[in-house]
Amino acid sequence: MNSIRYRLLFSLFVVQAIVWIAVGLVALDRAQHEVDELLDAQLAQTAHVLHQITQTGHLPDIAGAPQTLSPIGHAYESKISFQLWRGEVLVSSFGAAPADPLAHGLGFSDQQLADTRWRVFGLPTNRADEVLYVAQNDSIRQELIEYLTFQALQPILWSLPLTALLIWLAVSDGLRPLMRLTRDISHRSAAQLTPIDLRRAPLEIRPLTTALNGLMARLEQALAAERHFAADASHELRTPFAIIRTYAQIARRSTDAEERNDALAKLIRGVDRATHLIAQLLMLARLQHQTGAAAAGSWSLVEMAQQVVADKQEFADSKAIALSLHLPDGDPCCVGVAPAALTVLLGNLLDNALKFTPAGGRVAVAVQARRERVVLRVEDSGRGIAPGDQMRVFDRFYRPAGQTEAGAGLGLAIVQRICELHDAEIELLDAEPKPGLLVEVNFRKAARES
């Protein structure tokens, strides 16, 4: 389950288990060390006591005699033994020691005799060939080590349920701000996009809260733009459809053939205008919701300019406008803009240039390569755009005062949106010679795909 709560709990329990295991190992090591120190000291002390006995008296030869436990003794007596050797002769022994020497050297050593492990201390006596061995069964040490370790870890073991409960409560309390943020967001709607109060958010989730506030601000802007767009679109569509309805009614009730044909011709122009307007609206709506270039790639601006200019040549000829195209030699001028977007951008710029250029005028399209950039230039000999309107013409549905040419004011808005999506720059300049308008679009140059 992809849950922060369970991931935190699992991580904390794993860390806690590792700590407990480490503590247990350390406790075991320290218990073993202390037990070895204590019992080794007892072995050495016992050996020295027996050595003093050999100095003051004579040990009877009881080698191999069975050990008799005292009624008031301890069960561990059978696990403690000693031997006295003179040369290779066992002089005396006691306990569970075997007939063979417990060890073959002096000092402390660990010996494995038969199935029993012994801790042995060898001490020389005053005679050169005499050695006293005191041994202890290793099971005594292991039992004592296990007991001490368990006693040391018992409080920790008893605290396991309490620790688990406290970890659960701590994690739940730590995640409470996230739950509060979740409730705050779930109770919001498209009509309530006010920012979340950062003062109540912990430092760790403030970046998330800030990002959510930014998202809601962008969403509010998008919704406001959608409402504005819908209002403008309904207003702009109302006019052509009213015209279409008017001429349809004229054609329906007209008895004069010439009047009816004129009304039908105007009806068709109204349908064409509405169709163009709807296409522009759909294109702008689609571009408005994009957040970046649709696809990575490289396409030739030269090829697209040739295609679009060829498509517009007939319309230019019908208005007696000289339409020219200037291209660089041998350079395809590739840009990272898809052909569909390039077609719309070039088409809208040419449509505007041809629409606002009077009969007998000129429109020049040029593609230029400038180091790492590619520049598209569309220049016309129309009346140009007043300086005060040059920034506003990029607004949707904006039409400068005194404009009589048909249009909805969406062409340059679409061009600007395409430029924004593809990191291109658009600039409106005065044509030379004046009057006229020069539109320059500056693209980032892309490598030619093989």
Side-chain angles (χ1 to χ4, degrees):
M1 180 180 295
N2 190 13
S3 168
I4 296 179
R5 180 190 301 274
Y6 291 121
R7 289 177 62 182
L8 281 175
L9 289 173
F10 177 77
S11 300
L12 290 174
F13 286 145
V14 168
V15 170
Q16 195 70 17
I18 293 174
V19 171
W20 287 334
I21 292 173
V23 170
L25 292 176
V26 170
L28 179 63
D29 178 73
R30 299 312 303 166
Q32 183 172 3
H33 175 76
E34 295 301 325
V35 168
D36 286 342
E37 289 286 330
L38 176 62
L39 296 186
D40 282 352
Q42 289 182 349
L43 277 180
Q45 185 181 39
T46 303
H48 282 92
V49 170
L50 292 175
H51 177 243
Q52 291 298 324
I53 294 175
T54 62
Q55 296 299 312
T56 58
H58 178 69
L59 289 175
D61 186 3
I62 55 173
Q67 179 178 357
T68 302
L69 297 180
S70 169
I72 59 174
H74 195 277
Y76 282 176
E77 291 182 26
S78 61
K79 298 183 178 182
I80 301 175
S81 302
F82 78 90
Q83 290 178 340
L84 179 63
W85 289 83
R86 289 179 186 151
E88 296 183 358
V89 178
L90 178 61
V91 176
S92 180
S93 68
F94 188 77
D100 298 325
L102 286 168
H104 298 281
L106 302 177
F108 291 101
S109 63
D110 294 313
Q111 304 294 330
Q112 184 73 32
L113 302 175
D115 296 331
T116 304
R117 182 178 177 83
W118 295 87
R119 179 69 170 172
V120 183
F121 179 72
L123 179 68
T125 64
N126 291 336
R127 297 184 180 183
D129 59 345
E130 191 174 75
V131 179
L132 178 66
Y133 293 110
V134 180
Q136 189 180 65
N137 194 319
D138 191 65
S139 62
I140 298 176
R141 296 171 180 252
Q142 296 304 318
E143 184 177 344
L144 186 55
I145 290 171
E146 291 173 3
Y147 175 80
L148 293 177
T149 303
F150 177 76
Q151 292 300 318
L153 295 180
Q154 193 173 21
I156 297 178
L157 295 177
W158 281 108
S159 68
L160 286 179
L162 179 60
T163 303
L165 176 61
L166 292 177
I167 290 176
W168 177 276
L169 294 176
V171 169
S172 299
D173 182 69
L175 294 178
R176 188 169 289 113
L178 280 178
M179 302 303 296
R180 185 169 57 245
L181 178 62
T182 301
R183 289 193 300 269
D184 190 5
I185 295 175
S186 63
H187 291 159
R188 293 175 180 266
S189 63
Q192 184 188 3
L193 294 175
T194 55
I196 301 170
D197 189 2
L198 291 177
R199 293 173 300 178
R200 298 181 60 191
L203 292 176
E204 291 77 10
I205 65 172
R206 282 188 182 177
L208 173 62
T209 308
T210 303
L212 287 173
N213 285 340
L215 176 62
M216 287 191 290
R218 293 190 297 271
L219 181 59
E220 187 172 16
Q221 292 175 357
L223 291 175
E226 288 292 335
R227 290 190 292 268
H228 180 66
F229 179 81
D232 289 341
S234 62
H235 174 74
E236 292 295 326
L237 286 172
R238 189 178 296 115
T239 300
F241 281 120
I243 294 174
I244 291 171
R245 179 179 178 83
T246 299
Y247 286 116
Q249 289 174 341
I250 293 173
R252 180 181 181 183
R253 63 174 181 261
S254 177
T255 57
D256 182 65
E258 184 177 352
E259 183 183 15
R260 184 170 55 251
N261 290 335
D262 181 64
L264 289 175
K266 292 178 179 179
L267 175 62
I268 292 172
R269 286 197 298 270
V271 171
D272 290 340
R273 179 185 175 187
T275 302
H276 177 73
L277 176 57
I278 292 172
Q280 294 281 70
L281 288 171
L282 293 175
M283 173 60 67
L284 185 59
R286 184 164 59 250
L287 292 173
Q288 198 67 33
H289 288 87
Q290 289 186 16
T291 57
S298 175
W299 294 272
S300 172
L301 183 59
V302 169
E303 295 177 3
M304 297 308 303
Q306 290 173 330
Q307 178 182 331
V308 174
V309 169
D311 294 339
K312 303 297 181 181
Q313 187 65 56
E314 183 178 354
F315 179 71
D317 293 341
S318 67
K319 290 188 63 174
I321 296 175
L323 178 58
S324 61
L325 177 62
H326 306 278
L327 303 173
D329 294 331
D331 190 344
C333 294
C334 294
V335 296
V337 185
L342 279 179
T343 301
V344 173
L345 183 145
L346 282 164
N348 283 354
L349 291 179
L350 265 180
D351 283 341
N352 282 348
L354 293 171
K355 179 167 48 177
F356 295 107
T357 300
R362 62 177 179 81
V363 173
V365 179
V367 178
Q368 300 175 349
R370 299 178 184 174
R371 295 185 179 179
E372 299 301 319
R373 311 292 291 187
V374 175
V375 178
L376 170 68
R377 295 165 55 92
V378 179
E379 186 176 11
D380 63 63
S381 59
R383 66 174 181 270
I385 299 177
D389 291 328
Q390 286 192 358
M391 294 305 298
R392 296 196 62 192
V393 293
F394 292 110
D395 296 338
R396 295 176 296 182
F397 305 108
Y398 178 76
R399 292 162 59 88
Q403 179 177 319
T404 58
E405 291 81 358
L410 292 174
L412 287 179
I414 293 174
V415 170
Q416 186 186 45
R417 182 57 181 163
I418 294 174
C419 291
E420 291 174 352
L421 292 174
H422 296 87
D423 193 24
E425 300 173 357
I426 184 171
E427 188 175 7
L428 303 182
L429 305 168
D430 292 329
E432 294 294 340
K434 296 181 181 180
L437 178 67
L438 170 61
V439 182
E440 281 195 357
V441 182
N442 195 315
F443 298 95
R444 187 185 301 276
K445 195 171 187 179
R448 180 70 173 178
E449 291 186 349
S450 57

